[in-house]
Amino acid sequence: MSVVAAGAHTVPPEAPTAAAGEAIRLSQLTKRFAIRRGWGAALRRPLLRQWAPALEDITCTIAEGEFFGLLGPNGAGKTTLFKVLATLVLPDGGSAAVGGYDVVRQARRVRSILAPVITDERSLYWRLTARENLELYARLQDLPGETAPRRVSELLATVGLADAGRKLVGAFSSGMKQRLLIARALVARPRILLLDEPTRSLDPLSARAFRAFLREEISGRQGCTVLLATHNTEEALELCGRVAVLHRGRLLAVGAAADLIRQVGKERYRLWTRSPVLGSLAALEREGVVHQIATQPDAEGWARVDMDVAGGLEGAARVMDALSRAGASVGRFESVPRSLADLIEGIIERKRGSLDG
Amino acid sequence: MGKVLALVRANWLTAASYRFNLFVSLVSLIAMVIPVYFVAGALQPVMAKSIAGQGGEYFGFLLVGITTLMFLTTAVTSLPAALGSSVASGTFEALLGTRARLSEIVAGMVGYAFIWTTVRAFLLFAVGWMLGAPLVGEQSPAALLILGMIVLAYFPFGLFAAAGVLAFKTSGSLPAAVLTVSGLLGGVYYPTQVIPSWLQDLSAVIPLTYGLRALRAVVLEGGALSASAPDLAVLAGFIVLLFASSLYVFTRAVRHAKHAGTLAQY
């Protein structure tokens, strides 16, 4: 029997507990998976269980309407985090709330406002048409029978499949199937959409069109909160307002994408030159302005020089000055997107530095 | 109910897209009845005495047994098979991500298989009736009730097998073992009193023994449902016991798979 203090409000068990404007709240979320052992090890010590952490103490908040990136290499824990949010995997510790609803105790409520985009094409019914697939999910998502056909037509038009609605899904290209998977997730007008590497199987042109669709239609017009898991830094920077960097189950950093790069302190630049510039750059390297210089000659006499430059635009200006003073012939000097590996290394270095300091 | 029907419709549309398969499924059924009819006729003098209390006509006896075995097979194998393929394809994960309850998803997965089995059973009975099987049509409601109880007594084995699929990625040999033992000792092809006495003790713990005896008494003898009350009471006991334990095991298996993160692995 529960006792409620005088004057206290009794809160219905199904009521959300989110702060206003908060879509997702993760608090010390932890998940580990048992490691599968070989026959020999299992027979020698049958009761021993070994665990691999998938998520460790993840604490983070995502606001309503935000386009949030989850950046990390394979095995970082991105998919596990998505599955916890989609109520498909149970966490071991901490808590996760979606729209204020707890993912363990209020799983059905969570599923009523959040939709994971399962990017596996096989999860569609290939022997059914696109329309029949969406009609099925409209029923499963509680859409009334009279509004479902209109919603299905709307969605087919939204994802550019209006003319293909009566075609069997098995005859679709990968890009069309990906768009149908998105439409399936949008059937019930979810407030929150989870996208796990959605452009993985798309060609560069389709991927670009798909990113534009996500930004303009899903995030812009429909106003969805979007969580995008990717290991493509460029994609995360292009689409997301904020990103979280996950590595081996740990949240290394969260922040505005551009800030994160700036905080890490170095930007990657590429220089095309016909002159010997290593001497000039060596002086800057000693001063700590440039790092990680790598050169690669090409057949037409140009050399490509990649380098990390510290100090933002000031640092880049110092490199240009040095090259100008040396009379170097420069064809191009440009900032290039950092790879995920560079970003993670930079964050780890920075953390190590702050701990040492 | 709308969600269950939507899933049944999707499975029907999928099955209907394989037209040749549907055609073969029906034709093979008819092709099977003809030899059964002649074999039953040949064995009639041998079997007449032992099936005297269950219609006395061996073709009708076999027809009821084979039809019931079809439902049994569906009850035991349809869920683990559907679950296995939908886990492997990722459909199960997609379905679990919707607002549908697990019970609705399970019912929707197996609903079409039961409807198709019912269609095939009607066809089998129709062909059997045309060949002269002594079926008592007025007892259809009672027969359907008993058949429903037999299915309910065996669906839990399907749930156990499905739990195996979720927890261990295999249903093992459970469905085959249940069907073999029930087929051989439950009175499908011959009455249980003709099997050796030590095996008869085993047939007493098989739900089908009671279900088939009651079903034949109603369909072939035209007996009242109340006359089969003792057999139906035992069958009801099996249903309660097996359903309670299988539901517990299945929900535990789902929870285990969600904990282990293996819901989408096969």
Side-chain angles (χ1 to χ4, degrees):
Chain A
M1 189 177 125
S2 63
V3 179
V4 180
H9 293 287
T10 53
V11 180
E14 290 291 289
T17 53
E22 195 174 277
I24 291 171
R25 172 176 285 274
L26 308 173
S27 178
Q28 295 182 304
L29 190 70
T30 302
K31 180 70 198 172
R32 58 181 194 163
F33 292 121
I35 297 172
R36 193 179 171 83
R37 296 184 300 153
W39 278 101
L43 288 172
R44 274 194 301 277
R45 302 185 70 181
L47 297 178
L48 180 73
R49 301 295 297 271
Q50 288 175 312
W51 303 92
L55 297 171
E56 286 189 82
D57 274 340
I58 305 288
T59 299
C60 175
T61 307
I62 297 163
E64 269 179 20
E66 200 173 353
F67 206 128
F68 190 88
L70 210 53
L71 202 52
N74 292 335
K78 307 185 297 287
T79 304
T80 302
L81 178 54
F82 271 21
K83 289 191 173 181
V84 168
L85 291 174
T87 76
L88 298 169
V89 165
L90 292 169
D92 292 328
S95 67
V98 174
Y101 298 113
D102 185 88
V103 295
V104 177
R105 287 178 285 110
Q106 297 163 300
R108 281 198 86 213
R109 291 280 183 165
V110 169
R111 290 199 295 271
S112 71
I113 56 171
L114 171 145
V117 179
I118 311 276
T119 47
D120 188 347
E121 294 169 5
R122 292 296 317 176
S123 70
L124 291 163
Y125 286 77
W126 283 29
R127 305 286 294 191
L128 269 58
T129 65
R131 176 169 279 280
E132 285 164 349
N133 266 279
L134 295 184
E135 280 171 357
L136 167 65
Y137 278 82
R139 293 298 286 172
L140 295 176
Q141 296 282 30
D142 284 335
L143 245 70
E146 60 274 17
T147 59
R150 198 173 63 238
R151 177 69 181 148
V152 167
S153 299
E154 252 174 45
L155 282 171
L156 285 170
T158 302
V159 297
L161 293 174
D163 295 335
R166 306 261 175 220
K167 277 190 189 161
L168 288 184
V169 169
F172 277 20
S173 67
S174 272
M176 290 165 85
K177 284 181 193 137
Q178 288 296 327
R179 280 184 278 158
L180 185 60
L181 287 164
I182 290 270
R184 184 177 74 177
L186 290 173
V187 160
R189 300 179 198 278
R191 278 162 48 195
I192 301 157
L193 199 65
L194 306 180
L195 288 153
D196 193 358
E197 298 181 18
T199 55
R200 185 176 41 188
S201 58
L202 299 182
D203 63 74
L205 274 181
S206 306
R208 189 165 65 184
F210 187 71
R211 283 197 283 267
F213 166 73
L214 285 179
R215 192 177 44 238
E216 289 156 21
E217 180 63 37
I218 306 300
S219 176
R221 267 192 282 278
Q222 312 226 356
C224 273
T225 304
V226 181
L227 261 77
L228 171 79
T230 181
H231 49 63
N232 182 338
T233 321
E234 208 177 340
E235 185 170 80
L237 296 183
E238 181 188 334
L239 290 171
C240 305
R242 283 197 310 150
V243 294
V245 181
L246 262 181
H247 184 53
R248 294 180 184 163
R250 286 184 177 276
L251 196 59
L252 294 184
V254 188
D259 288 351
L260 215 56
I261 300 279
R262 208 176 307 122
Q263 280 169 22
V264 171
K266 283 173 264 175
E267 280 183 86
R268 195 79 179 156
Y269 279 84
R270 180 165 292 163
L271 167 75
W272 294 89
T273 179
R274 282 189 157 158
S275 312
V277 294
L278 286 179
S280 313
L281 293 177
L284 289 172
E285 193 174 20
R286 279 193 298 276
E287 291 175 39
V289 179
V290 298
H291 306 264
Q292 307 264 330
I293 303 166
T295 60
Q296 199 183 337
D298 82 353
E300 293 173 19
W302 289 93
R304 195 184 84 187
V305 184
D306 289 329
M307 68 194 98
D308 283 350
V309 178
L313 291 175
E314 285 294 324
R318 288 193 62 189
V319 174
M320 290 292 283
D321 279 349
L323 293 171
S324 166
R325 276 200 304 275
S329 165
V330 174
R332 194 187 299 160
F333 183 59
E334 61 191 351
S335 170
V336 290
R338 292 183 65 90
S339 71
L340 178 60
D342 290 340
L343 189 64
I344 290 172
E345 269 175 21
I347 292 169
I348 291 172
E349 253 176 50
R350 192 165 61 96
K351 285 206 163 200
R352 204 176 286 142
S354 67
L355 282 175
D356 292 345
Chain B
M1 194 63 186
K3 296 186 181 105
V4 176
L5 290 177
L7 276 167
V8 170
R9 177 175 176 265
N11 288 327
W12 152 246
L13 290 172
T14 302
S17 72
Y18 297 97
R19 290 175 195 166
F20 185 69
N21 193 36
L22 280 190
F23 175 73
V24 169
S25 172
L26 293 177
V27 170
S28 64
L29 195 70
I30 296 167
M32 181 196 76
V33 184
I34 312 295
V36 167
Y37 171 73
F38 286 108
V39 170
L43 291 175
Q44 176 63 31
V46 184
M47 301 301 289
K49 193 176 165 194
S50 56
I51 59 171
Q54 297 182 71
E57 212 277 327
Y58 191 49
F59 179 53
F61 180 95
L62 268 183
L63 205 60
V64 172
I66 290 169
T67 308
T68 308
L69 191 62
M70 274 166 42
F71 276 101
L72 231 63
T73 307
T74 303
V76 175
T77 62
S78 62
L79 183 58
L83 198 61
S85 67
S86 72
V87 166
S89 67
T91 313
F92 188 56
E93 208 176 37
L95 293 174
L96 285 181
T98 69
R99 296 175 194 180
R101 292 175 193 280
L102 183 59
S103 55
E104 290 169 324
I105 294 171
V106 166
M109 277 178 160
V110 299
Y112 166 70
F114 277 107
I115 291 171
W116 184 237
T117 304
T118 307
V119 170
R120 294 178 78 225
F122 270 114
L123 185 68
L124 197 62
F125 270 129
V127 177
W129 177 76
M130 283 189 277
L131 289 171
L135 305 171
V136 182
E138 301 85 63
Q139 292 287 51
S140 298
L144 286 175
L145 176 74
I146 297 169
L147 202 54
M149 287 181 74
I150 295 173
V151 167
L152 284 178
Y154 275 86
F155 190 67
F157 292 110
L159 280 171
F160 282 127
V165 168
L166 286 177
F168 311 112
K169 307 306 157 197
T170 174
S171 58
S173 49
L174 178 70
V178 169
L179 291 173
T180 305
V181 172
S182 296
L184 292 177
L185 302 180
V188 173
Y189 306 105
Y190 38 78
T192 52
Q193 59 266 32
V194 302
I195 56 180
S197 56
W198 61 275
L199 273 176
Q200 279 186 27
D201 294 340
L202 204 56
S203 77
V205 292
I206 294 173
L208 188 62
T209 305
Y210 304 92
L212 264 182
R213 199 157 53 205
L215 190 61
R216 286 187 176 122
V218 166
V219 175
L220 301 175
E221 295 271 331
L225 203 58
S226 56
S228 298
D231 280 337
L232 295 180
V234 177
L235 198 55
F238 274 119
I239 292 169
V240 171
L241 191 72
L242 288 169
F243 243 101
S245 52
S246 64
L247 279 177
Y248 174 75
V249 169
F250 184 71
T251 46
R252 292 280 298 184
V254 173
R255 201 169 170 78
H256 167 80
K258 280 190 170 186
H259 252 301
T262 57
L263 212 50
Q265 291 172 11
Y266 197 68

